């Protein structure tokens, strides 16, 4: 069974540009999460989709971040315009709808904003 | 005060040593406690999962939860060089699969052969 995949693995952009990150969850997982780890800090929650609906977006830092999950399958996270402080590793995770156990994480996208 | 505190280390031990990792937390609503292992340039992978207080053992790994002290631990027996990784504690209130996880900073462990 394929795990959570994320694309791209790395992205280097200049301040003010736009970047779109993609996450493909494990097939059949209705829960999809985005997290971010800024250097030196802990992994922090950004938002949670249940199927195509945003269940919790309390962790989104500001309106420069836009997440979508069309059709309840893959998700995209767009940062526009990117700022220096957006640099970090963006993780996606997924889980079954009825799961009380864990989330399965992807390898992350390393974003560097110059 | 952070919700979850974890000493980032680094921690370096000889092969075969017993390793003790721990986290403290402030949110008494947390009931689900997890330990993730993260190798360099990889995503976190679940190592141990416990609900409420008590112990759970899985091979060389033992997870302990003391809710009265808001303290969780992970013990690794007979540590191996392959255990070298960053260990992250994570917690949630209503179940790790159904809501956001709150992470500690992670402890970087190196097991020397």
């Amino acid at each position: 069974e394929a795990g959570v995949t994320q694309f791209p693995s790395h992205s280097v952009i200049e301040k003010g540009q736009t970047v779109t990150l993609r996450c493909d969850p494990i097939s059949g997982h209705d829960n999809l999460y985005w997290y971010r780890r800024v250097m030196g800090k802990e992994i922090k929650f950004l938002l949670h989709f249940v199927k195509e609906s945003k269940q919790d977006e309390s962790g989104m830092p500001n309106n420069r971040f836009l997440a979508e999950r069309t059709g309840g399958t893959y998700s995209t996270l767009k940062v526009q315009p990117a700022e220096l402080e957006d640099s970090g590793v963006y993780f996606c995770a997924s889980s079954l709808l009825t799961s009380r156990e864990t989330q399965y994480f992807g390898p992350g996208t390393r974003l560097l904003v110059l | 005060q952070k919700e979850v505190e974890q000493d980032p280390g680094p921690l370096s031990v000889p092969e075969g040593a017993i390793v003790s990792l721990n986290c403290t937390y402030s949110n008494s609503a947390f009931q689900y406690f997890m330990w993730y292992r993260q190798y360099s340039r990889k995503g976190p992978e679940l190592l141990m999962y416990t609900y409420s207080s008590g112990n759970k053992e899985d091979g060389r790994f033992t997870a302990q939860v003391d809710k009265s002290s808001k303290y969780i631990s992970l013990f690794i027996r007979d540590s191996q060089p392959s255990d070298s990784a960053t260990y992250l504690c994570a917690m949630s209130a209503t179940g790790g699969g159904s809501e956001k996880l709150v992470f500690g900073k992670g402890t970087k462990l190196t097991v020397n052969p």
Side-chain angles (χ1 to χ4, degrees), chain B residues 9-61:
Chain B
L11 184 61
S12 181
V13 301
E15 183 175 353
I18 296 174
V19 176
S20 173
L21 307 167
N22 54 74
C23 292
T24 59
Y25 63 95
S26 58
N27 188 344
S28 57
F30 289 146
Q31 296 192 78
Y32 296 83
F33 304 92
M34 288 136 277
W35 286 95
Y36 281 82
R37 178 174 60 195
Q38 185 178 16
Y39 292 112
S40 182
R41 300 290 181 177
K42 302 287 187 183
E45 58 173 334
L46 180 69
L47 194 59
M48 297 286 284
Y49 171 93
T50 52
Y51 167 69
S52 195
S53 285
N55 294 358
K56 186 173 184 178
E57 189 173 323
D58 184 3
R60 296 184 295 109
F61 299 89

Side-chain angles (χ1 to χ4, degrees), chain A residues 10 31 33 35 37 40 42-43 45 48 58 91 95 99-103 105-107 110, chain B residues 2 32 36 38 41-44 46 49 88 94-101 103-105:
Chain A
H10 296 80
N31 285 312
Y33 301 81
Y35 293 85
R37 182 167 192 156
E42 64 275 14
I43 296 173
F45 167 80
H48 171 202
S58 61
F91 292 104
S95 69
S99 175
R100 285 196 169 273
E101 296 196 6
T102 192
Q103 300 166 21
F105 281 77
R110 282 149 187 81
Chain B
K2 285 186 183 295
Y32 296 83
Y36 281 82
Q38 185 178 16
R41 300 290 181 177
K42 302 287 187 183
L46 180 69
Y49 171 93
L88 304 145
T94 61
S98 59
E99 68 159 357
K100 67 183 181 185
L101 299 178
F103 282 89
K105 269 192 174 183

